[in-house]
Amino acid sequence: MSHVLAVAPALPPDVYPQQQISDVIVPLLAPEGPRRRLAHRVHAASGVTTRHLALPIDEYEDLTSFGDANAHFVRVGTDLAEQACRAALADADVAPDEIDLVFFTSVTGIGAPSLDAALVHRLGLRPDVRRVPSFGLGCAGGAAGLAHLHEHLVGHRDRLALLVSVELCSLTFQRDDTSTANLVSSGLFGDGASAVVVAGDDVEPRSAAGPRLVGTRSHLYPGTAHALGWDVRDTGFGIVLSPELPDLLGAHLAGDVKDLLAPQGLTADDVGTWVVHAGGPKVVDAVRGALDLPESAVARTRATLAAEGNLSSSSVLHVLAATLADGEPAPGEWAVLMAFGPGVATELVLLRGREEAAA
């Protein structure tokens, strides 16, 4: 197994009420008329109250090219990643040069070298640190990153790893695109980053013990590539967001969770804590329905959605940070973390509250 030492979320300093964002962004998407009115309605129904943005809100009107948007992604994203990593390393009481592996995930900007390369110098990581940058996992990237680190550390029990997620979704909205998917996404997604320090089981924690990572499961649903992802255009990343996504989760998620839990002799009734990606009200409702969960099981997810919007791959890690801050999972308690991304794919991680060693 492996265990979480620290989780640190990071958000840009510019934060705005949802209504103010709608008033500025919607006119850039749709002319006066029914589509603009629809945009305001879907923004109001998104479950989002406030969002943090990568840029001051009055600068989005001048954001007209993919090149400009991506330059902001590299600049702002690297700063946010550094902020999250420094906080996570400090909370874990781990020196930067002790990190052996960095897994970096994002789906809202690109770079070669990827942003994690800049972090080596900024943070003081070792030059021989192993880096694994990932693009394309989308909202599932945070959960998938945890799973990849866990599987690496099972075979390298004396090592430390760092998961870094950066998502600046506001830089991807498409001007003059009145598609329902673009109108919905422009009201749902926010900007943020996160970092997680994970250790192999032979590494003794130097701070409060975090949960153990016990198992993982990934399930790619065949024939669903059209349902979620990017349409890469000259102007950047156009959102692909099908209304059938909640139905897909409703059809498959219970079986996926069952397959995650079965090797441990568990069922969903044995799970005390659920860490659910804040994908949007209908996605959260689909999770509740598929797993027959009470509303209290997704309360932190809805609170994260309201305060920050959907942060893509960082979203579930922000929910995880809030979960740990609330003292869950309790010692010995089982928890399931889940997120959903392009493919369509579900990424699941089984955790257990770490019990203190006997004196």
Side-chain angles (χ1 to χ4, degrees):
M1 291 186 286
S2 61
H3 53 280
V4 173
L5 296 186
V7 183
L11 295 164
D14 293 305
V15 57
Y16 302 95
Q18 177 79 328
Q19 184 60 59
Q20 184 179 359
I21 296 174
S22 296
D23 289 343
V24 172
I25 297 300
V26 168
L28 304 178
L29 309 180
E32 287 280 7
R35 299 305 288 178
R36 184 178 291 190
R37 292 193 292 273
L38 173 62
H40 282 297
R41 289 199 301 273
V42 297
H43 283 210
S46 65
V48 178
T49 304
T50 57
R51 283 185 282 168
H52 294 251
L53 302 182
L55 305 177
I57 196 166
D58 58 359
E59 294 185 16
Y60 283 86
E61 185 175 4
D62 298 324
L63 195 65
T64 58
S65 76
F66 175 55
D68 285 345
N70 201 68
H72 287 304
F73 171 82
V74 173
R75 176 180 59 84
V76 177
T78 305
D79 289 344
L80 271 182
E82 180 182 1
Q83 177 186 333
C85 290
R86 288 192 182 280
L89 290 168
D91 289 348
D93 195 18
V94 168
D97 62 3
E98 294 181 276
I99 294 296
D100 301 293
L101 171 70
V102 177
F103 186 100
F104 171 71
T105 186
S106 181
V107 75
T108 52
I110 57 175
S114 47
L115 299 194
D116 50 290
L119 295 176
V120 175
H121 172 70
R122 287 198 182 198
L123 297 173
L125 303 174
R126 297 196 314 270
D128 67 344
V129 69
R130 186 172 295 277
R131 297 185 296 113
V132 183
S134 168
F135 179 91
L137 290 169
C139 295
L146 277 181
H148 283 296
L149 292 192
H150 168 66
E151 290 169 3
H152 175 81
L153 293 169
V154 165
H156 300 87
R157 296 167 56 94
D158 60 343
R159 296 186 184 178
L160 287 154
L162 181 64
L163 169 61
V164 187
S165 163
V166 174
E167 302 290 10
L168 304 183
C169 305
S170 70
L171 299 177
T172 68
F173 85 87
Q174 298 292 290
R175 294 176 69 115
D176 303 316
D177 178 353
T178 62
S179 67
T180 300
N182 192 50
L183 301 184
V184 169
S185 67
S186 67
L188 178 62
F189 289 93
D191 298 341
S194 49
V196 186
V197 180
V198 186
D201 260 4
D202 289 348
V203 177
E204 287 298 321
R206 302 155 202 179
S207 56
R212 291 186 182 276
L213 282 72
V214 179
T216 70
R217 176 168 172 78
S218 179
H219 188 188
L220 182 67
Y221 305 151
T224 61
H226 65 282
L228 184 63
W230 288 136
D231 172 23
V232 182
R233 309 168 182 171
D234 292 342
T235 54
F237 300 130
I239 189 72
V240 175
L241 185 61
S242 170
E244 68 184 279
L245 180 59
D247 291 338
L248 287 170
L249 297 179
H252 296 284
L253 185 58
D256 294 337
V257 170
K258 180 179 179 180
D259 290 341
L260 173 75
L261 299 175
Q264 304 297 326
L266 304 173
T267 69
D269 291 337
D270 297 308
V271 177
T273 299
W274 299 88
V275 184
V276 179
H277 164 57
K282 291 183 179 180
V283 168
V284 179
D285 289 344
V287 171
R288 277 197 64 204
L291 301 175
D292 194 24
L293 299 180
E295 178 61 27
S296 59
V298 296
R300 277 183 292 261
T301 297
R302 294 207 196 269
T304 300
L305 179 66
E308 304 171 359
N310 179 344
L311 302 182
S312 190
S313 68
S314 275
S315 175
V316 76
L317 302 180
H318 282 231
V319 179
L320 177 60
T323 301
L324 299 182
D326 286 342
E328 297 182 29
E333 182 183 64
W334 295 99
V336 170
L337 178 147
M338 65 180 70
F340 323 104
V344 170
T346 296
E347 296 286 346
L348 302 170
V349 179
L350 178 63
L351 306 99
R352 192 174 196 186
R354 189 179 173 103
E355 300 187 55
E356 300 292 343

